[in-house]
Amino acid sequence: MAFSARQDATPISGINVTPLVDVLLVLLIIFMISAPVVAHKARVDLPSPGSQPPAAMMEPIDITIEPNGMTFWNHVLVTDAALATQMALLGSREGDKPSIHISASDDAAYEDVAKVLAEAKFNGLSKIDFVNRD
């Protein structure tokens, strides 16, 4: 088995730039993908220093759902129709709408909770909090 050897003993002085070009192309692609994400600006509305203080916060509406399907509006038993009417009144109110605190029993049916959430969404009430029962 014969190996061919180079005839001249001078060292090879050329640099293989192919790996360098590959790395640079990969870096270029990474920067092209990440540049729009870095340049994205989020608009934030901050209050001006001379603006009026916020109006008094409205009292939240407490809705309690019991395991047997009974629903209470601020600790007063209401029917499904009365609940829908009350939420429609809140939804039609101009300006800031009150938040709703839902307190569902551990044994309450999911359908009862989903019914209250769907009614709130239908009437445009978006400030909904789930609170723990004491």
Side-chain angles (χ1 to χ4, degrees), residues 28-73:
L28 178 67
I29 291 171
I30 289 172
F31 285 128
M32 287 173 56
I33 291 173
S34 63
V37 175
V38 173
H40 179 70
K41 296 179 182 176
R43 185 173 184 276
V44 178
D45 292 328
L46 297 175
S48 61
S51 66
Q52 295 287 338
M57 295 292 294
M58 300 177 77
E59 287 292 320
I61 305 298
D62 292 322
I63 297 178
T64 307
I65 303 170
E66 294 293 326
N68 54 3
M70 294 188 332
T71 305
F72 293 88
W73 179 281

Side-chain angles (χ1 to χ4, degrees), residues 11-35:
I12 300 174
S13 62
I15 297 175
N16 187 4
V17 294
T18 304
L20 178 65
V21 171
D22 290 344
V23 169
L24 289 177
L25 287 175
V26 168
L27 288 175
L28 178 67
I29 291 171
I30 289 172
F31 285 128
M32 287 173 56
I33 291 173
S34 63

